[in-house]
Amino acid sequence: QITLDSGQKFSIFSSKKKEPYIPRFTGDASQRGAFCWQIVLDDCGLQKKVDCYLGISSESFVLIEESAQKAIFVIPNRSILGWSTNGNALRIFYHQGECLTINMHDFRDRDEQLEVIERLRAVSCGTGALELNLQRNSLGQLGFHLQPDGIVTTVEINGPAWSAGLRQGYRLVEICKIAIATLSHDQMVDLLKTSL
């Protein structure tokens, strides 16, 4: 008597479940409408977190409060200076160096922070911020000069600032984690002269 095994030992078809297809994000400037993400705004003024929708069109950066369904922050993309990341937090610098911090939700299948950065690169003149640690020379100087708005006017070649990567035309937005926009020119110079 011959018996046949009904179980499949060999198969020309894969038995693995197919993962859902997730299209690659393309945030280029030719995409005219707004891309939207659900985020949490870290409102330092009110010392609370606000659930929001972030919308970035080819012209504007908008935060809409989720519960009130109204815009609470709007700027043109040309005002965006740059951004920095820290974990799920994304800090956006704009106008004269003011900043806001948004926290991205953690989705395993997508990196929304990278999507936001890709869109910002495509529709603004901003760039990723650099964090530089400057040492002083033997005279206690940092080796650069800047305007009141934080634009670096000169950098001493081969000086401490140059060695750290600072270049003419860069814009300082923070000194020792303090936003330049909150400082007068005298306070900024004093902080640069005295900070460690």
Side-chain angles (χ1 to χ4, degrees):
Q1 177 173 341
I2 300 174
T3 59
L4 297 174
D5 187 0
S6 61
Q8 290 185 343
K9 290 185 179 177
F10 302 100
S11 175
I12 59 171
F13 301 108
S14 174
S15 62
K16 292 182 182 177
K17 288 186 178 180
K18 287 191 175 187
E19 296 295 321
Y21 174 71
I22 299 168
R24 185 188 174 293
F25 179 80
T26 304
D28 61 54
S30 67
Q31 307 291 330
R32 303 296 298 170
F35 286 92
C36 294
W37 296 269
Q38 209 170 6
I39 58 99
V40 178
L41 171 66
D42 191 358
D43 191 333
C44 296
L46 298 175
Q47 294 183 345
K48 68 176 189 173
K49 300 199 180 290
V50 181
D51 291 321
C52 293
Y53 295 106
L54 165 62
I56 306 174
S57 72
S58 58
E59 301 293 325
S60 301
F61 180 100
V62 180
L63 290 177
I64 299 170
E65 186 176 358
E66 200 173 315
S67 61
Q69 296 184 354
K70 65 177 184 176
I72 57 172
F73 182 81
V74 180
I75 57 169
N77 291 341
R78 67 181 174 271
S79 295
I80 295 174
L81 302 173
W83 51 85
S84 66
T85 61
N86 184 7
N88 278 347
L90 180 63
R91 297 186 74 199
I92 309 292
F93 299 96
Y94 59 96
H95 290 308
Q96 297 298 314
E98 298 96 325
C99 72
L100 60 87
T101 303
I102 60 175
N103 294 287
M104 309 304 297
H105 290 285
D106 188 18
F107 294 109
R108 294 177 196 262
D109 57 346
R110 299 172 49 188
D111 191 339
E112 292 193 340
Q113 188 179 75
L114 285 178
E115 292 176 359
V116 171
I117 291 170
E118 182 178 334
R119 183 63 171 169
L120 289 172
R121 279 192 180 117
V123 298
S124 76
C125 295
T127 186
L130 301 173
E131 185 171 322
L132 304 176
N133 293 313
L134 306 182
Q135 303 296 318
R136 297 184 185 282
N137 63 18
S138 60
L139 301 173
Q141 300 167 334
L142 294 170
F144 71 96
H145 297 281
L146 71 160
Q147 297 174 174
D149 60 359
I151 301 287
V152 176
T153 55
T154 57
V155 181
E156 178 186 314
I157 294 179
N158 297 323
W162 180 272
S163 298
L166 190 66
R167 299 294 182 264
Q168 182 177 345
Y170 281 18
R171 180 183 200 133
L172 297 183
V173 289
E174 289 183 330
I175 301 170
C176 299
K177 305 292 182 193
I178 300 170
I180 292 262
T182 64
L183 301 170
S184 70
H185 184 62
D186 291 339
Q187 290 172 321
M188 184 171 48
V189 171
D190 188 50
L191 186 58
L192 287 170
K193 286 181 177 178
T194 60
S195 65
L196 300 174

